[in-house]
Amino acid sequence: MSSKQQLIEQIIQAWHELQRQTPLVQCMTNSVANNYVANILLAAGASPAMIDNPFEAESFTQISSALSINIGTPTTEQTQAMLISAQTAQQHQVPWVLDPVGYGAVLKWRSETVDQLLHFKPSIIRGNASEISTLAGSQVQSKGVDSTLDSQDVYAQAKSLLQHAECIAISGESDYLISRQLDAVIKVNGGSHLQPKITATGCALGALTAAYSAVSSPLIAALASHTHFAIAGKLAYDQAQTVGSFNVMFMDYVHMLDENLIQQYVDIEILD
Amino acid sequence: MSSKQQLIEQIIQAWHELQRQTPLVQCMTNSVANNYVANILLAAGASPAMIDNPFEAESFTQISSALSINIGTPTTEQTQAMLISAQTAQQHQVPWVLDPVGYGAVLKWRSETVDQLLHFKPSIIRGNASEISTLAGSQVQSKGVDSTLDSQDVYAQAKSLLQHAECIAISGESDYLISRQLDAVIKVNGGSHLQPKITATGCALGALTAAYSAVSSPLIAALASHTHFAIAGKLAYDQAQTVGSFNVMFMDYVHMLDENLIQQYVDIEILD
Amino acid sequence: MSSKQQLIEQIIQAWHELQRQTPLVQCMTNSVANNYVANILLAAGASPAMIDNPFEAESFTQISSALSINIGTPTTEQTQAMLISAQTAQQHQVPWVLDPVGYGAVLKWRSETVDQLLHFKPSIIRGNASEISTLAGSQVQSKGVDSTLDSQDVYAQAKSLLQHAECIAISGESDYLISRQLDAVIKVNGGSHLQPKITATGCALGALTAAYSAVSSPLIAALASHTHFAIAGKLAYDQAQTVGSFNVMFMDYVHMLDENLIQQYVDIEILD
């Protein structure tokens, strides 16, 4: 069993590997998020490429170091591409992250697509509490694509999802991670209440998790990405308390993170 | 007949209701605007969701508190979704805003779609002077999708559009609002000449108008959103006179607006 | 043959003409870049319009002063529109820029589309070293859509592309321009190593080149746009060394550029 200090060392190692390898990450994301996701990945040290058409999906996934699929604003062509890339990722052992934005009864089409995508065994599923809870079989009332549930109420339910993925990450005021690798729940504290006021921060977190999965195990990838965002969010909020300026500072701190900042500000707990 | 002071009180009330209700606003907007629109709505206090595919349009509009349709960069699927959602909005009394970007002879396809959308009776039509004038039947030379007309020359023509919508909002250096509710023209002053130098500010204003229409009458919704932008634009320009920095400050002030700032900076006139 | 001082005078004249004419530039670009591209063009003085559907492509290209085609995230409809607009641009002598993002063996579909687009004789082809080298017939290993080659190794190969276009612009740490107009290579120095850390700066540079091509020859258009970015990048980096803040300052300096700043900071070389 990993101690907290061991986990922190693995986070730091993952961050160093991300800088050293600058992994190519194929991002299939929504139209709201794509610019922001690309900029976050570049700032963090990865090399994003937004290839999301069905005619190039297979060949591109084969050369990618990781794949991020986010179902936020699907089109027919993009949905076809996602299914092709997920299958290719599974066949070629490319780690991939599934972000089931808006999963639930109201948005049936994407939810059925997510159900199909699960067959290709994502390495990590990342979502907010409402999405993860619904995906785990609960009937949840959500408000649009934002969560109405608290993350900590959900991680017990989420265990059933470990049949589909090696790691489940539930974002919220604090984030909760569960995995096949570790028989415990890891809680990541930090961030800022302004992060949900910036659109696509969750989407960018999913893509950053994919980037880290190119250089570490699914659990450490999720832990490193959530820690990366938690520290950057906390430090940005210390500098700026309104959304426009906060967003600029947040991008700055995603870029400026280093071993010292991780050592100084990481705030994780291992729960039973 | 409303006095100016009564209107200002209704603007303040609408702003408070927006904060209290955080209405779910379905935004079908263009590919240039979607990230910016989502961030503006979050900053202002609403809950945006960019659902724009034809397979989820009907079910999502049914649960939305308001709908914003902006025809800036239409695709075939998005156009289908817009028609479904506009019809659903009419059937379920969901208030909705139509932003006929680029309406005119050069861009026939979208213009025919706009003509179809008008059958579903938008609550509010928002556009620049060229778009509104052309929609009202004039032959206007416009330059791309930006306006070449002055707003105040157009509001007389725009009255014919009140057969389609309860309120017409014409954006420009000053904005002009007409409605079935009030036999007068309301002029909204403020803003900054830098706003047209930031892409999608008009699109975001349309979506914010939709957000306010979830918590107030069409006229007050348009008045509150245009006042919100006029004050934020004026205060941002006091801080920053170049487009990059102005844009950050504008987002900050959209977020920071409150009752005191509205009282202090609102600048509206009731014209005969 | 032009002297360096004559070229600088032509850059300044092009900048003045851009401000005076504010040319309408049709941009068909990728989903990551469109907001950023529109803001860069507005900041620089042009009038962008993102019309990229096949139903409006022909009529809009006819009234545009220049056209920018960037193949970053193609959809079927967008690809159809690009072919229509490129053909229309050729027929109506509308100058146009081709940005063959990701050209190469892995991304076959877009590469075949680029091959078709070349038949319509772009005024300028702009890309990074990997893209230009591959387009010129070399077998290059690239990492996703970013370059793995150095620009200066490529300009000799790129000469073969002058059969397709009047000017070829190769971006990198320094930029290299070749053209039919001048029997020399022009090197543009400046910029910042942070520019590749901001997504879509290359795409925006291609669109700005299109904007300048509405008011000057292909070579001067490429020279003016690359100088515009090189100076703005250098001045922004003097103010901000992290990506979030740098990006804001970069937009500011794209907006603030003027004759004096060009005179003071232009850094070009004419190579044999």
Side-chain angles (χ1 to χ4, degrees):
Chain A
M1 159 114 196
S2 305
S3 74
K4 186 168 142 181
Q5 193 49 42
Q6 284 172 323
L7 290 173
I8 293 173
E9 278 161 27
Q10 288 175 288
I11 294 170
I12 290 169
Q13 193 185 352
W15 179 84
H16 277 295
E17 283 302 306
L18 192 72
Q19 311 311 307
R20 195 177 66 78
Q21 297 185 34
T22 61
L24 176 60
V25 185
Q26 183 184 6
C27 298
M28 309 177 116
T29 191
N30 62 73
S31 60
V32 184
N34 41 20
N35 182 276
Y36 191 70
V37 165
N39 274 330
I40 287 285
L41 260 59
L42 286 167
S47 180
M50 279 38 204
I51 308 298
D52 64 353
N53 68 72
F55 316 109
E56 301 176 329
E58 184 178 359
S59 62
F60 202 81
T61 303
Q62 287 182 24
I63 66 152
S64 296
S65 299
L67 166 67
S68 174
I69 295 185
N70 174 303
I71 197 96
T73 57
T75 63
T76 298
E77 282 194 0
Q78 204 186 29
T79 301
Q80 292 166 346
M82 288 173 177
L83 291 164
I84 293 167
S85 281
Q87 183 170 28
T88 306
Q90 186 188 30
Q91 285 170 348
H92 292 262
Q93 277 97 49
V94 176
W96 73 282
V97 174
L98 176 61
D99 195 334
V101 180
Y103 190 92
V106 173
L107 298 169
K108 269 186 202 158
W109 182 54
R110 74 182 60 201
S111 301
E112 286 166 11
T113 303
V114 167
D115 292 342
Q116 288 179 270
L117 287 166
L118 285 177
H119 295 146
F120 304 116
K121 302 290 179 198
S123 313
I124 302 155
I125 301 173
R126 189 219 74 84
N128 65 37
S130 293
E131 290 153 0
I132 297 296
S133 180
T134 316
L135 200 59
S138 300
Q139 300 296 323
V140 179
Q141 293 280 10
S142 75
K143 181 170 185 174
V145 294
D146 296 321
S147 186
T148 51
L149 287 180
D150 203 346
S151 308
Q152 67 178 326
D153 301 332
V154 172
Y155 63 75
Q157 307 166 35
K159 278 185 183 163
S160 67
L161 294 174
L162 289 175
Q163 65 182 302
H164 298 297
E166 293 181 50
C167 177
I168 313 295
I170 308 153
S171 307
E173 197 179 318
S174 289
D175 308 315
Y176 295 84
L177 312 180
I178 60 174
S179 80
R180 296 181 198 158
Q181 187 183 327
L182 192 68
D183 188 23
V185 176
I186 303 178
K187 183 182 177 187
V188 180
N189 301 309
S192 154
H193 71 279
L194 283 186
Q195 268 158 301
K197 298 286 276 184
I198 312 288
T199 197
T201 46
C203 309
L205 180 52
L208 185 60
T209 304
Y212 274 110
S213 76
V215 299
S216 58
S217 74
L219 175 62
I220 299 303
L223 189 53
S225 66
H226 285 70
T227 299
H228 201 139
F229 261 39
I231 295 175
K234 182 203 158 13
L235 295 176
Y237 190 74
D238 288 348
Q239 303 283 322
Q241 290 80 44
T242 47
V243 292
S245 302
F246 172 82
N247 204 8
V248 173
M249 297 306 301
F250 181 65
M251 192 65 79
D252 280 346
Y253 279 110
V254 168
H255 184 207
M256 285 193 284
L257 191 81
D258 61 15
E259 181 167 343
N260 288 338
L261 289 175
I262 299 174
Q263 287 280 17
Q264 194 174 348
Y265 292 107
V266 62
D267 184 358
I268 61 174
E269 298 170 56
I270 303 176
L271 313 179
D272 299 326
Chain B
M1 161 118 195
S2 305
S3 74
K4 186 167 142 181
Q5 193 48 43
Q6 284 172 324
L7 290 174
I8 293 173
E9 278 161 26
Q10 287 175 289
I11 293 170
I12 290 169
Q13 193 185 352
W15 179 83
H16 277 296
E17 283 303 305
L18 192 72
Q19 310 311 307
R20 195 177 66 79
Q21 297 185 33
T22 61
L24 177 60
V25 184
Q26 183 184 6
C27 298
M28 310 177 117
T29 191
N30 62 75
S31 61
V32 185
N34 42 21
N35 182 276
Y36 190 70
V37 165
N39 275 332
I40 287 284
L41 259 59
L42 286 167
S47 180
M50 279 39 202
I51 308 298
D52 63 353
N53 69 71
F55 317 108
E56 301 176 331
E58 183 178 357
S59 62
F60 201 80
T61 303
Q62 287 180 24
I63 66 152
S64 296
S65 299
L67 167 67
S68 173
I69 295 185
N70 173 303
I71 197 97
T73 58
T75 64
T76 298
E77 283 193 359
Q78 204 187 29
T79 300
Q80 291 166 346
M82 288 174 177
L83 290 164
I84 294 167
S85 282
Q87 182 170 31
T88 306
Q90 186 189 28
Q91 285 169 349
H92 292 262
Q93 276 99 49
V94 176
W96 73 282
V97 173
L98 176 60
D99 195 333
V101 179
Y103 189 92
V106 173
L107 298 169
K108 270 188 200 158
W109 182 54
R110 75 182 60 201
S111 300
E112 286 166 9
T113 303
V114 167
D115 292 341
Q116 289 180 271
L117 287 166
L118 284 177
H119 295 146
F120 303 117
K121 303 287 178 199
S123 313
I124 301 155
I125 301 172
R126 189 219 75 86
N128 64 37
S130 293
E131 289 152 1
I132 297 296
S133 179
T134 316
L135 200 59
S138 299
Q139 300 297 322
V140 179
Q141 293 280 9
S142 75
K143 181 169 185 173
V145 295
D146 295 322
S147 187
T148 51
L149 287 181
D150 203 346
S151 307
Q152 66 178 327
D153 301 331
V154 172
Y155 63 75
Q157 306 165 38
K159 278 187 183 164
S160 67
L161 294 174
L162 290 176
Q163 64 181 303
H164 298 297
E166 292 180 51
C167 177
I168 314 296
I170 308 153
S171 306
E173 198 181 317
S174 288
D175 308 314
Y176 295 85
L177 313 179
I178 60 174
S179 80
R180 296 181 198 158
Q181 187 184 328
L182 193 68
D183 187 23
V185 176
I186 303 179
K187 183 181 177 187
V188 180
N189 301 308
S192 153
H193 71 280
L194 283 186
Q195 269 157 301
K197 299 285 276 182
I198 312 289
T199 197
T201 46
C203 309
L205 179 53
L208 185 60
T209 304
Y212 274 110
S213 76
V215 299
S216 57
S217 74
L219 175 62
I220 298 303
L223 190 54
S225 66
H226 285 70
T227 298
H228 201 137
F229 262 39
I231 295 174
K234 184 203 157 12
L235 295 176
Y237 190 75
D238 289 347
Q239 304 282 323
Q241 291 80 44
T242 47
V243 292
S245 302
F246 172 82
N247 204 9
V248 174
M249 296 306 301
F250 180 65
M251 193 65 81
D252 280 345
Y253 279 110
V254 168
H255 184 208
M256 285 193 285
L257 190 81
D258 61 14
E259 181 166 344
N260 288 337
L261 288 174
I262 299 174
Q263 287 281 16
Q264 194 173 348
Y265 291 106
V266 62
D267 183 359
I268 60 174
E269 298 171 55
I270 303 176
L271 311 179
D272 298 327
Chain C
M1 161 120 193
S2 305
S3 74
K4 187 168 142 181
Q5 192 49 43
Q6 283 173 324
L7 290 173
I8 294 173
E9 278 162 26
Q10 287 175 289
I11 293 169
I12 290 170
Q13 193 185 352
W15 179 83
H16 278 296
E17 282 303 305
L18 192 73
Q19 310 311 307
R20 195 176 66 79
Q21 296 185 33
T22 60
L24 176 61
V25 184
Q26 182 184 5
C27 298
M28 309 178 115
T29 191
N30 62 74
S31 60
V32 184
N34 41 22
N35 183 276
Y36 190 68
V37 166
N39 274 332
I40 287 285
L41 261 59
L42 286 167
S47 180
M50 279 40 202
I51 307 299
D52 64 352
N53 68 71
F55 316 110
E56 300 175 331
E58 184 179 357
S59 61
F60 201 79
T61 303
Q62 287 181 23
I63 65 151
S64 296
S65 299
L67 167 67
S68 174
I69 295 185
N70 174 303
I71 197 97
T73 59
T75 64
T76 297
E77 284 194 358
Q78 205 187 28
T79 300
Q80 292 165 347
M82 287 173 179
L83 290 164
I84 294 167
S85 281
Q87 181 169 31
T88 306
Q90 186 189 28
Q91 286 170 348
H92 292 260
Q93 276 97 47
V94 176
W96 73 283
V97 173
L98 175 61
D99 195 334
V101 179
Y103 190 92
V106 174
L107 298 169
K108 269 187 203 159
W109 182 55
R110 75 183 59 201
S111 301
E112 286 166 9
T113 303
V114 167
D115 292 341
Q116 289 180 269
L117 287 167
L118 285 178
H119 294 147
F120 304 117
K121 302 290 178 196
S123 313
I124 301 155
I125 301 173
R126 189 219 75 84
N128 63 38
S130 293
E131 290 152 1
I132 297 296
S133 180
T134 317
L135 200 59
S138 300
Q139 300 296 323
V140 179
Q141 294 278 11
S142 75
K143 183 169 184 173
V145 294
D146 295 323
S147 187
T148 52
L149 288 181
D150 204 344
S151 307
Q152 65 178 327
D153 302 330
V154 172
Y155 63 77
Q157 305 166 39
K159 277 186 184 164
S160 68
L161 294 174
L162 289 177
Q163 63 181 303
H164 299 298
E166 293 180 48
C167 177
I168 313 297
I170 309 152
S171 307
E173 198 180 318
S174 287
D175 308 314
Y176 295 84
L177 313 180
I178 60 174
S179 80
R180 296 182 197 158
Q181 187 184 327
L182 192 67
D183 187 23
V185 176
I186 303 178
K187 184 180 177 188
V188 181
N189 301 308
S192 153
H193 71 281
L194 282 185
Q195 268 158 300
K197 298 286 276 184
I198 312 289
T199 197
T201 46
C203 309
L205 179 52
L208 185 59
T209 304
Y212 273 110
S213 76
V215 299
S216 57
S217 74
L219 174 62
I220 298 304
L223 189 54
S225 66
H226 285 69
T227 298
H228 200 139
F229 262 39
I231 295 175
K234 184 203 156 16
L235 295 177
Y237 189 73
D238 288 348
Q239 303 282 324
Q241 291 80 45
T242 47
V243 292
S245 301
F246 172 81
N247 205 7
V248 174
M249 297 306 301
F250 181 65
M251 193 66 81
D252 280 345
Y253 278 110
V254 168
H255 184 208
M256 284 193 285
L257 190 80
D258 61 15
E259 182 168 341
N260 289 336
L261 289 174
I262 298 174
Q263 287 280 16
Q264 194 173 350
Y265 292 106
V266 62
D267 184 358
I268 60 174
E269 298 171 56
I270 303 177
L271 312 179
D272 298 328

